Amino acid sequence: MNFPLNFTFKVAALAPQFSVRDVDGLELCYVRQKLFNFKEHIQVFKDKSKKELITEIHADRIIDWSASYSFYDPEGFDYGSVRRKGFRSLWKSHYEVFEQGNQTYSIEEGNPFAKFIDGIVGEIPVIGFLTGYFFNPYYDVKDMDGNVCYTLYKKPSFFGRRFEMQETIPRDDDLLITMSLIMMLLLERRRG
């Protein structure tokens, strides 16, 4: 993958949809979350044509409080998962990334105050539309030694629709981390 990666949500859509593109503008994947599922099941395709499946994401339970989301390749092989830490994520979002049952990374929100202010000011008519330009949280992906390997930034935009993922320490887990951040974004956008 050629970093940075750009995540762009489609604004005029009932179900959350977004594309991930590399620095050259090449579409790496397209995500469309289905509405009204009791248990989360998300398909990630190579592009908007939805002809080539890259990953399927399955939740392990109906209620997403500390739920685990497993990633399966097209052959059905489970190559990892991400889990939101329940109480620990109330103020500051925190997720754990697993590979073959072992935790390999953690995702932590860098500035929880930005999300808090965005949530309050965002409810004010007219002014709320501008919060996407001023309050932009970021998320650090850390390995088990505490080194920041990737960072996901919310970019200034209306409706909070653009994100950028940068690699700080080259790793071989680009797909696992990208899928973990995709799931995290879907969950965090749902929470506001």
Side-chain angles (χ1 to χ4, degrees), residues 8-30:
T8 306
F9 280 83
K10 187 174 181 181
V11 176
L14 292 176
Q17 301 174 40
F18 65 95
S19 296
V20 179
R21 297 181 182 278
D22 67 6
V23 70
D24 299 323
L26 177 68
E27 188 172 30
L28 300 176
C29 64
Y30 173 76

Side-chain angles (χ1 to χ4, degrees), residues 65 84-95 107-123 128 131-132 134-139 154 163 184-192:
W65 188 261
R84 180 177 180 262
K85 292 296 285 184
F87 283 112
R88 192 169 178 181
S89 291
L90 286 177
W91 167 251
K92 182 178 181 179
S93 297
H94 183 88
Y95 292 80
I107 303 171
E108 296 179 10
E109 186 173 5
N111 185 4
F113 189 69
K115 182 171 67 174
F116 176 73
I117 295 297
D118 184 37
I120 291 173
V121 178
E123 296 300 318
T131 61
F134 300 109
F135 303 109
N136 297 303
Y138 67 93
Y139 303 89
K154 181 176 171 262
F163 294 82
M184 184 210 68
L185 280 175
L186 290 170
L187 292 171
E188 290 300 308
R189 282 180 57 94
R190 185 185 311 156
R191 287 185 183 87

Side-chain angles (χ1 to χ4, degrees), residues 76-110:
F77 177 73
D78 179 358
Y79 65 87
S81 64
V82 65
R83 179 177 64 204
R84 180 177 180 262
K85 292 296 285 184
F87 283 112
R88 192 169 178 181
S89 291
L90 286 177
W91 167 251
K92 182 178 181 179
S93 297
H94 183 88
Y95 292 80
E96 296 173 337
V97 180
F98 295 88
E99 190 172 15
Q100 298 176 351
N102 299 316
Q103 184 180 353
T104 52
Y105 296 95
S106 65
I107 303 171
E108 296 179 10
E109 186 173 5

